[in-house]
mmCIF file with all atom_site columns, all heavy atoms in Angstrom:
data_model
loop_
_atom_site.group_PDB
_atom_site.id
_atom_site.type_symbol
_atom_site.label_atom_id
_atom_site.label_alt_id
_atom_site.label_comp_id
_atom_site.label_asym_id
_atom_site.label_entity_id
_atom_site.label_seq_id
_atom_site.pdbx_PDB_ins_code
_atom_site.Cartn_x
_atom_site.Cartn_y
_atom_site.Cartn_z
_atom_site.occupancy
_atom_site.B_iso_or_equiv
_atom_site.pdbx_formal_charge
_atom_site.auth_seq_id
_atom_site.auth_comp_id
_atom_site.auth_asym_id
_atom_site.auth_atom_id
_atom_site.pdbx_PDB_model_num
ATOM 1  N N   . VAL A 1 114 ? 109.902 96.574  110.550 1.00 95.00 ? 114 VAL A N   1
ATOM 2  C CA  . VAL A 1 114 ? 110.319 97.739  111.331 1.00 95.00 ? 114 VAL A CA  1
ATOM 3  C C   . VAL A 1 114 ? 109.242 98.102  112.334 1.00 95.00 ? 114 VAL A C   1
ATOM 4  O O   . VAL A 1 114 ? 108.072 97.781  112.154 1.00 95.00 ? 114 VAL A O   1
ATOM 5  C CB  . VAL A 1 114 ? 110.634 98.953  110.418 1.00 95.00 ? 114 VAL A CB  1
ATOM 6  C CG1 . VAL A 1 114 ? 111.793 98.652  109.474 1.00 95.00 ? 114 VAL A CG1 1
ATOM 7  C CG2 . VAL A 1 114 ? 109.409 99.398  109.638 1.00 95.00 ? 114 VAL A CG2 1
ATOM 8  N N   . ASN A 1 115 ? 109.674 98.795  113.394 1.00 93.00 ? 115 ASN A N   1
ATOM 9  C CA  . ASN A 1 115 ? 108.705 99.299  114.367 1.00 93.00 ? 115 ASN A CA  1
ATOM 10 C C   . ASN A 1 115 ? 108.169 100.654 113.903 1.00 93.00 ? 115 ASN A C   1
ATOM 11 O O   . ASN A 1 115 ? 108.601 101.190 112.884 1.00 93.00 ? 115 ASN A O   1
ATOM 12 C CB  . ASN A 1 115 ? 109.326 99.374  115.767 1.00 93.00 ? 115 ASN A CB  1
ATOM 13 C CG  . ASN A 1 115 ? 110.499 100.334 115.828 1.00 93.00 ? 115 ASN A CG  1
ATOM 14 O OD1 . ASN A 1 115 ? 110.672 101.224 115.002 1.00 93.00 ? 115 ASN A OD1 1
ATOM 15 N ND2 . ASN A 1 115 ? 111.351 100.136 116.825 1.00 93.00 ? 115 ASN A ND2 1
ATOM 16 N N   . LYS A 1 116 ? 107.241 101.210 114.640 1.00 94.00 ? 116 LYS A N   1
ATOM 17 C CA  . LYS A 1 116 ? 106.571 102.459 114.237 1.00 94.00 ? 116 LYS A CA  1
ATOM 18 C C   . LYS A 1 116 ? 107.550 103.622 114.128 1.00 94.00 ? 116 LYS A C   1
ATOM 19 O O   . LYS A 1 116 ? 107.480 104.408 113.178 1.00 94.00 ? 116 LYS A O   1
ATOM 20 C CB  . LYS A 1 116 ? 105.454 102.807 115.215 1.00 94.00 ? 116 LYS A CB  1
ATOM 21 C CG  . LYS A 1 116 ? 104.760 104.120 114.845 1.00 94.00 ? 116 LYS A CG  1
ATOM 22 C CD  . LYS A 1 116 ? 103.388 104.211 115.377 1.00 94.00 ? 116 LYS A CD  1
ATOM 23 C CE  . LYS A 1 116 ? 102.676 105.508 115.092 1.00 94.00 ? 116 LYS A CE  1
ATOM 24 N NZ  . LYS A 1 116 ? 103.034 106.217 113.886 1.00 94.00 ? 116 LYS A NZ  1
ATOM 25 N N   . LYS A 1 117 ? 108.466 103.755 115.061 1.00 94.00 ? 117 LYS A N   1
ATOM 26 C CA  . LYS A 1 117 ? 109.419 104.866 115.050 1.00 94.00 ? 117 LYS A CA  1
ATOM 27 C C   . LYS A 1 117 ? 110.270 104.837 113.773 1.00 94.00 ? 117 LYS A C   1
ATOM 28 O O   . LYS A 1 117 ? 110.447 105.853 113.107 1.00 94.00 ? 117 LYS A O   1
ATOM 29 C CB  . LYS A 1 117 ? 110.313 104.795 116.290 1.00 94.00 ? 117 LYS A CB  1
ATOM 30 C CG  . LYS A 1 117 ? 111.307 105.912 116.395 1.00 94.00 ? 117 LYS A CG  1
ATOM 31 C CD  . LYS A 1 117 ? 112.145 105.763 117.653 1.00 94.00 ? 117 LYS A CD  1
ATOM 32 C CE  . LYS A 1 117 ? 113.243 106.809 117.695 1.00 94.00 ? 117 LYS A CE  1
ATOM 33 N NZ  . LYS A 1 117 ? 114.126 106.620 118.849 1.00 94.00 ? 117 LYS A NZ  1
ATOM 34 N N   . THR A 1 118 ? 110.773 103.668 113.419 1.00 93.00 ? 118 THR A N   1
ATOM 35 C CA  . THR A 1 118 ? 111.585 103.515 112.209 1.00 93.00 ? 118 THR A CA  1
ATOM 36 C C   . THR A 1 118 ? 110.747 103.767 110.968 1.00 93.00 ? 118 THR A C   1
ATOM 37 O O   . THR A 1 118 ? 111.201 104.414 110.017 1.00 93.00 ? 118 THR A O   1
ATOM 38 C CB  . THR A 1 118 ? 112.228 102.116 112.161 1.00 93.00 ? 118 THR A CB  1
ATOM 39 O OG1 . THR A 1 118 ? 113.021 101.940 113.340 1.00 93.00 ? 118 THR A OG1 1
ATOM 40 C CG2 . THR A 1 118 ? 113.088 101.934 110.942 1.00 93.00 ? 118 THR A CG2 1
ATOM 41 N N   . LEU A 1 119 ? 109.512 103.271 110.958 1.00 94.00 ? 119 LEU A N   1
ATOM 42 C CA  . LEU A 1 119 ? 108.615 103.475 109.823 1.00 94.00 ? 119 LEU A CA  1
ATOM 43 C C   . LEU A 1 119 ? 108.340 104.962 109.615 1.00 94.00 ? 119 LEU A C   1
ATOM 44 O O   . LEU A 1 119 ? 108.363 105.448 108.483 1.00 94.00 ? 119 LEU A O   1
ATOM 45 C CB  . LEU A 1 119 ? 107.304 102.719 110.040 1.00 94.00 ? 119 LEU A CB  1
ATOM 46 C CG  . LEU A 1 119 ? 106.267 102.868 108.929 1.00 94.00 ? 119 LEU A CG  1
ATOM 47 C CD1 . LEU A 1 119 ? 106.791 102.282 107.612 1.00 94.00 ? 119 LEU A CD1 1
ATOM 48 C CD2 . LEU A 1 119 ? 104.967 102.195 109.334 1.00 94.00 ? 119 LEU A CD2 1
ATOM 49 N N   . ASP A 1 120 ? 108.102 105.691 110.698 1.00 95.00 ? 120 ASP A N   1
ATOM 50 C CA  . ASP A 1 120 ? 107.842 107.131 110.586 1.00 95.00 ? 120 ASP A CA  1
ATOM 51 C C   . ASP A 1 120 ? 109.043 107.865 109.996 1.00 95.00 ? 120 ASP A C   1
ATOM 52 O O   . ASP A 1 120 ? 108.892 108.735 109.128 1.00 95.00 ? 120 ASP A O   1
ATOM 53 C CB  . ASP A 1 120 ? 107.478 107.728 111.952 1.00 95.00 ? 120 ASP A CB  1
ATOM 54 C CG  . ASP A 1 120 ? 106.104 107.270 112.426 1.00 95.00 ? 120 ASP A CG  1
ATOM 55 O OD1 . ASP A 1 120 ? 105.312 106.772 111.600 1.00 95.00 ? 120 ASP A OD1 1
ATOM 56 O OD2 . ASP A 1 120 ? 105.832 107.401 113.637 1.00 95.00 ? 120 ASP A OD2 1
ATOM 57 N N   . LYS A 1 121 ? 110.255 107.508 110.431 1.00 93.00 ? 121 LYS A N   1
ATOM 58 C CA  . LYS A 1 121 ? 111.474 108.127 109.885 1.00 93.00 ? 121 LYS A CA  1
ATOM 59 C C   . LYS A 1 121 ? 111.600 107.848 108.388 1.00 93.00 ? 121 LYS A C   1
ATOM 60 O O   . LYS A 1 121 ? 111.926 108.725 107.599 1.00 93.00 ? 121 LYS A O   1
ATOM 61 C CB  . LYS A 1 121 ? 112.725 107.587 110.593 1.00 93.00 ? 121 LYS A CB  1
ATOM 62 C CG  . LYS A 1 121 ? 113.035 108.211 111.907 1.00 93.00 ? 121 LYS A CG  1
ATOM 63 C CD  . LYS A 1 121 ? 114.335 107.588 112.402 1.00 93.00 ? 121 LYS A CD  1
ATOM 64 C CE  . LYS A 1 121 ? 114.875 108.264 113.609 1.00 93.00 ? 121 LYS A CE  1
ATOM 65 N NZ  . LYS A 1 121 ? 116.129 107.648 114.072 1.00 93.00 ? 121 LYS A NZ  1
ATOM 66 N N   . LEU A 1 122 ? 111.358 106.590 108.009 1.00 93.00 ? 122 LEU A N   1
ATOM 67 C CA  . LEU A 1 122 ? 111.462 106.206 106.603 1.00 93.00 ? 122 LEU A CA  1
ATOM 68 C C   . LEU A 1 122 ? 110.422 106.942 105.765 1.00 93.00 ? 122 LEU A C   1
ATOM 69 O O   . LEU A 1 122 ? 110.738 107.461 104.691 1.00 93.00 ? 122 LEU A O   1
ATOM 70 C CB  . LEU A 1 122 ? 111.308 104.692 106.441 1.00 93.00 ? 122 LEU A CB  1
ATOM 71 C CG  . LEU A 1 122 ? 111.371 104.153 105.009 1.00 93.00 ? 122 LEU A CG  1
ATOM 72 C CD1 . LEU A 1 122 ? 112.691 104.518 104.325 1.00 93.00 ? 122 LEU A CD1 1
ATOM 73 C CD2 . LEU A 1 122 ? 111.164 102.645 105.010 1.00 93.00 ? 122 LEU A CD2 1
ATOM 74 N N   . ASN A 1 123 ? 109.191 107.012 106.247 1.00 93.00 ? 123 ASN A N   1
ATOM 75 C CA  . ASN A 1 123 ? 108.143 107.735 105.514 1.00 93.00 ? 123 ASN A CA  1
ATOM 76 C C   . ASN A 1 123 ? 108.493 109.206 105.344 1.00 93.00 ? 123 ASN A C   1
ATOM 77 O O   . ASN A 1 123 ? 108.269 109.787 104.275 1.00 93.00 ? 123 ASN A O   1
ATOM 78 C CB  . ASN A 1 123 ? 106.782 107.579 106.206 1.00 93.00 ? 123 ASN A CB  1
ATOM 79 C CG  . ASN A 1 123 ? 106.093 106.300 105.809 1.00 93.00 ? 123 ASN A CG  1
ATOM 80 O OD1 . ASN A 1 123 ? 106.191 105.846 104.677 1.00 93.00 ? 123 ASN A OD1 1
ATOM 81 N ND2 . ASN A 1 123 ? 105.388 105.700 106.742 1.00 93.00 ? 123 ASN A ND2 1
ATOM 82 N N   . ASN A 1 124 ? 109.041 109.824 106.384 1.00 93.00 ? 124 ASN A N   1
ATOM 83 C CA  . ASN A 1 124 ? 109.453 111.230 106.280 1.00 93.00 ? 124 ASN A CA  1
ATOM 84 C C   . ASN A 1 124 ? 110.527 111.404 105.217 1.00 93.00 ? 124 ASN A C   1
ATOM 85 O O   . ASN A 1 124 ? 110.493 112.346 104.423 1.00 93.00 ? 124 ASN A O   1
ATOM 86 C CB  . ASN A 1 124 ? 109.955 111.767 107.633 1.00 93.00 ? 124 ASN A CB  1
ATOM 87 C CG  . ASN A 1 124 ? 108.843 111.934 108.633 1.00 93.00 ? 124 ASN A CG  1
ATOM 88 O OD1 . ASN A 1 124 ? 107.674 112.075 108.273 1.00 93.00 ? 124 ASN A OD1 1
ATOM 89 N ND2 . ASN A 1 124 ? 109.187 111.913 109.903 1.00 93.00 ? 124 ASN A ND2 1
#
Side-chain angles (χ1 to χ4, degrees):
V114 298
N115 62 20
K116 179 156 178 29
K117 181 180 174 184
T118 302
L119 179 63
D120 290 343
K121 279 183 171 180
L122 179 58
N123 276 325
N124 289 337

